[in-house]
Amino acid sequence: MPFNLPIALTWLRIILIPLIVALYYLPDSWLSEPSRDLWAALVFIVAALTDWFDGWLARRWNQTSSFGAFLDPVADKLMVGAALLVLLDLNRVDAFIALIIIGREITISALREWMAKIGASGSVAVHRLGKFKTAAQMVAIPCLLYWHPIMGLPTRIIGQALIVVAAVLTVWSMCYYLQKAWPEIKKKQV
């Protein structure tokens, strides 16, 4: 298993996940709701930035690896899934939205794994729809974690609108990946 700064950043993202969840289990006497929400949003933002930064560094320094390519999307899915479960528990995201996003991640991960097994992983390579979906999620989730207005900006409303956009893009990108994979799937069924 290679170890370099991009992989260390991915591990940091994984380590930050329990911290976000733990903040919501602290007694109110330790951390008030606005402070807790602020810290959770900030930790999520740091984790999201490591997602962008680790990939950029890996490409720039030519430190890409198959282990990094495996670990990075796993860290992303764990981070988003954990945040959505926290938001679901806080009644800040609808269960249907969380189910759509988490279900898509499981489906596309399984599809990519299967396509790699049959030698057709190129047909489900990352597409810009998936990148737009990720961007919408990565802005929506900290807005929903913080939930309080910032300088008059209604983060709650922004987060709720963007998570709906993310859910729509989630379904759209899943359909896109399934459509791209279908010819390969049909070939293997014959």
Side-chain angles (χ1 to χ4, degrees):
M1 175 179 74
F3 194 79
N4 52 40
L5 184 56
I7 288 178
L9 289 171
T10 303
W11 280 114
L12 174 63
R13 187 160 67 255
I14 292 170
I15 291 166
L16 290 175
I17 296 165
L19 178 58
I20 294 168
V21 175
L23 285 167
Y24 288 94
Y25 284 93
L26 292 175
D28 288 341
S29 61
W30 289 17
L31 203 58
S32 67
E33 181 184 329
S35 295
R36 177 200 66 199
D37 291 348
L38 176 63
W39 279 107
L42 289 174
V43 171
F44 186 90
I45 290 167
V46 167
L49 289 173
T50 67
D51 179 29
W52 174 82
F53 201 54
D54 67 4
W56 181 79
L57 282 177
R59 288 184 299 276
R60 183 165 176 97
W61 293 349
N62 197 28
Q63 292 183 340
T64 58
S65 67
S66 55
F67 181 71
F70 156 76
L71 190 62
D72 184 66
V74 169
D76 297 344
K77 286 158 187 41
L78 289 171
M79 181 177 75
V80 169
L84 286 172
L85 290 174
V86 166
L87 292 169
L88 189 59
D89 187 55
L90 295 169
N91 292 316
R92 294 181 186 179
V93 71
D94 187 75
F96 188 63
I97 298 282
L99 182 61
I100 286 171
I101 293 171
I102 293 171
R104 181 262 189 203
E105 296 303 337
I106 293 168
T107 302
I108 297 304
S109 293
L111 178 66
R112 284 194 171 123
E113 182 180 338
W114 189 47
M115 297 306 282
K117 269 187 188 173
I118 64 172
S121 58
S123 63
V124 287
V126 176
H127 185 266
R128 68 175 175 254
L129 270 175
K131 290 184 182 284
F132 291 142
K133 180 249 339 158
T134 299
Q137 280 177 183
M138 295 306 179
V139 175
I141 290 172
C143 286
L144 293 171
L145 286 170
Y146 184 62
W147 198 248
H148 309 279
I150 299 174
M151 296 185 294
L153 284 173
T155 59
R156 172 190 313 193
I157 294 168
I158 293 167
Q160 288 173 331
L162 284 174
I163 205 71
V164 169
V165 168
V168 169
L169 291 173
T170 292
V171 172
W172 188 3
S173 66
M174 183 176 72
C175 290
Y176 172 82
Y177 290 127
L178 290 169
Q179 178 189 18
K180 293 301 250 177
W182 188 249
E184 297 296 330
I185 294 169
K186 280 178 61 175
K187 274 191 229 173
K188 294 298 177 181
Q189 295 301 318
V190 178

